[in-house]
C-alpha cells in the first residue's frame, strides 16, 4: 500500500539485474524490486519469461518519494542507462522480455513519459527514434528471491564486472546529483 509520500514506477530496460542496481543508487528511492510485467502468464517464472513466450518484460518496480526525486528525474536516469532505440534488445540480450518499456501507475506518469519521449525524439534528428513502449501497469509479478539484490551479492561475477559495472560508472558520471549519499560514498 502506498503512503501519501511514496509513488510507484515500473521500468523495463533489459536485464533487471542492471536496472535494479541503477535505481538502487538514487536518492529518494526507498525500494527496487525485480519482476515481470506486461504479459499474459500469471505468476511467471524466470525460465518462462526467459523463453520469450509469456509476453512479460523483465522490469523493476521502483518506490520513490517525489519530494526527493521526481518522476522526470527517474526517466532521465532510465533513458540514460539503457538503449531505448532498439526493439526487443539490450546489448546481447534479445527478445521481448528485454524490451524498453515504461508501465505507468498514474495518468500523470503516462503524460510525463510520453512528453519525455517526444522531447528525446525531437532533440536530435540524427539519432535513432526512441521505441520505448508506454503502457498501463496491470500486474507486477515479483521475481524469484535469487534475483533480488543480484548485483550486491555477485559483484565479482563476470556478468556484473563486464555489463553492470560500466553501466553504474556511467550513471555516477552522468547523474551524480541524483545519487543517494550512500551511493556517492561507494562510487
Amino acid at each position: 500500500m502506498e503512503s501519501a509520500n511514496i509513488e510507484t514506477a515500473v521500468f523495463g530496460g533489459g536485464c533487471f539485474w542492471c536496472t535494479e542496481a541503477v535505481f538502487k543508487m538514487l536518492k529518494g528511492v526507498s525500494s527496487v524490486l525485480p519482476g515481470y510485467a506486461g504479459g499474459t502468464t500469471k505468476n511467471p517464472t524466470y525460465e518462462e519469461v526467459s523463453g520469450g513466450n509469456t509476453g512479460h518484460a523483465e522490469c523493476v518496480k521502483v518506490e520513490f518519494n517525489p519530494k526527493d526525486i521526481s518522476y522526470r528525474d527517474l526517466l532521465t536516469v532510465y533513458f540514460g542507462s539503457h538503449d531505448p532505440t532498439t526493439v526487443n534488445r539490450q546489448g546481447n540480450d534479445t527478445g521481448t522480455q528485454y524490451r524498453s518499456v515504461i508501465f505507468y501507475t498514474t495518468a500523470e506518469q503516462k503524460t510525463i513519459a510520453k512528453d519525455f519521449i517526444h522531447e528525446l525524439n525531437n532533440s536530435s534528428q540524427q539519432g535513432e527514434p526512441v521505441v520505448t513502449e508506454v503502457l498501463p501497469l496491470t500486474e507486477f509479478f515479483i521475481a524469484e528471491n535469487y534475483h533480488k539484490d543480484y548485483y550486491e551479492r555477485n559483484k565479482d561475477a563476470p556478468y556484473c564486472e563486464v555489463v553492470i559495472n560500466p553501466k553504474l560508472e556511467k550513471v555516477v558520471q552522468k547523474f551524480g546529483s541524483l545519487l543517494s549519499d550512500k551511493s556517492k560514498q561507494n562510487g
Side-chain angles (χ1 to χ4, degrees), residues 15-36:
C15 172
F16 52 27
W17 297 340
C18 296
T19 313
E20 178 193 42
V22 166
F23 282 103
K24 287 186 87 159
M25 297 175 70
L26 303 179
K27 66 181 176 184
V29 170
S30 57
S31 171
V32 183
L33 285 174
Y36 318 107

